[in-house]
């Protein structure tokens, strides 16, 4: 199975900060990676698909990058409504989620 | 508007069975593969099973293989998850989600396995 390691597990940042969330795969996943946002009590929402494609309706402050085993979700200017847990998800083989990064306001 | 509505959850004793349903609307159900994904209380997300659009390809997580069966009825726009030999560790909110890299998710249905 492919293991997905997200870092950090908890991130505190201020409104307006540039925020970077990381996801590392245990083997090459060929950019077959999505990012999801889950707010408390809600279903996950797709933000980024296939590493760097912004899902329709998602603000442009969200972006994704990466290749091979290393992937990144960036929020260019943190907003209060971005407080949530973020999960990466690889679907290259035997789909797996990362454990999540909880993003809170400082 | 894409909608996925799960049902069939509840409290069940260990070792018993339960069948979940997910009714889809707002898109051509028969054109899309579908997933079941679960989330234990206070925990992260776990992919459970996938079925292709025509049911030709079916995959399971190792944690449920041999106990759970995913199926679909394209005429009824409905996805199913038959769960047998349930264990306490199967307690979770179960989501259905569209596509290999899921784009739309339902709101989930709670399954609690406890005596």
């Amino acid at each position: 199975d492919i293991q997905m390691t997200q870092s950090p597990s908890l991130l505190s940042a201020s409104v307006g900060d540039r925020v970077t969330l990381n996801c590392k795969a245990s083997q090459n996943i060929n950019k077959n990676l999505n990012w999801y946002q889950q707010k408390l009590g809600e279903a996950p929402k797709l933000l980024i698909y296939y590493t760097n494609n912004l899902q329709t309706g998602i603000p442009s402050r969200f972006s994704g990058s990466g290749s091979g085993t290393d992937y990144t979700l960036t929020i260019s200017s943190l907003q209060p409504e971005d407080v949530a847990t973020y999960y990466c998800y690889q679907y290259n083989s035997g789909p797996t989620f990362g454990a999540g990064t909880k993003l809170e306001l400082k | 508007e894409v909608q996925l509505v799960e049902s069939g959850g509840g409290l069940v004793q260990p070792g018993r069975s339960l069948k979940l349903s997910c009714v889809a609307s707002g898109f051509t159900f028969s054109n899309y593969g579908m997933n079941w994904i679960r989330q234990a209380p206070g925990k992260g997300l776990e992919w459970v099973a996938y079925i292709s659009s025509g049911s030709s390809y079916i995959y399971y997580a190792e944690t449920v293989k041999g106990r759970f069966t995913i199926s679909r009825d394209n005429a009824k726009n409905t996805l199913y998850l038959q769960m047998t030999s349930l264990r306490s560790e199967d307690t979770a909110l179960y989501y259905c989600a569209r596509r290999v890299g899921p784009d739309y998710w339902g709101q989930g249905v709670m399954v609690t396995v406890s005596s």
Side-chain angles (χ1 to χ4, degrees):
Chain A
D1 285 5
I2 298 177
Q3 308 303 316
M4 304 299 291
T5 302
Q6 288 189 244
S7 62
S9 56
L10 176 64
L11 181 57
S12 296
S14 301
V15 173
D17 281 355
R18 182 181 183 87
V19 170
T20 299
L21 286 65
N22 301 296
C23 184
K24 186 174 183 67
S26 59
Q27 63 190 71
N28 182 8
I29 56 171
N30 299 301
K31 295 190 174 184
N32 291 308
L33 180 120
N34 290 356
W35 288 95
Y36 297 90
Q37 176 194 66
Q38 187 178 33
K39 296 182 179 180
L40 200 61
E42 297 184 5
K45 178 193 294 184
L46 177 63
L47 300 176
I48 302 288
Y49 62 94
Y50 195 59
T51 294
N52 57 8
N53 295 274
L54 193 66
Q55 175 70 345
T56 302
I58 301 302
S60 59
R61 64 180 180 273
F62 291 92
S63 64
S65 63
S67 63
T69 61
D70 295 298
Y71 298 84
T72 298
L73 174 69
T74 300
I75 307 173
S76 60
S77 178
L78 186 67
Q79 299 302 303
E81 60 266 31
D82 299 336
V83 168
T85 299
Y86 293 82
Y87 295 94
C88 61
Y89 174 76
Q90 70 80 19
Y91 48 95
N92 191 65
S93 70
T96 47
F97 288 92
T101 292
K102 186 174 183 180
L103 179 57
E104 63 179 28
L105 288 179
K106 190 181 293 183
Chain B
E1 178 193 6
V2 173
Q3 284 199 324
L4 299 168
V5 180
E6 303 93 338
S7 62
L11 174 63
V12 61
Q13 292 179 328
R16 303 297 290 267
S17 300
L18 201 61
K19 187 172 186 176
L20 306 182
S21 300
C22 168
V23 176
S25 60
F27 65 101
T28 304
F29 180 71
S30 59
N31 287 350
Y32 289 86
M34 298 292 295
N35 301 272
W36 286 101
I37 294 166
R38 68 185 180 183
Q39 187 169 34
K43 302 297 184 181
L45 299 164
E46 180 188 16
W47 170 81
V48 172
Y50 169 83
I51 185 168
S52 62
S53 58
S55 303
S56 297
Y57 301 97
I58 289 175
Y59 305 100
Y60 297 99
E62 287 297 323
T63 52
V64 306
K65 195 175 291 184
R67 300 188 299 122
F68 290 11
T69 302
I70 188 172
S71 63
R72 63 191 296 160
D73 184 335
N74 286 343
K76 295 183 178 180
N77 289 347
T78 303
L79 175 72
Y80 302 101
L81 186 68
Q82 176 71 54
M83 303 183 293
T84 64
S85 302
L86 283 161
R87 306 166 180 169
S88 58
E89 54 264 36
D90 296 319
T91 293
L93 188 63
Y94 284 74
Y95 296 101
C96 64
R98 189 181 80 164
R99 284 189 50 181
V100 168
D103 54 358
Y104 288 93
W105 300 55
Q107 285 304 303
V109 60
M110 189 68 201
V111 173
T112 303
V113 184
S114 175
S115 53

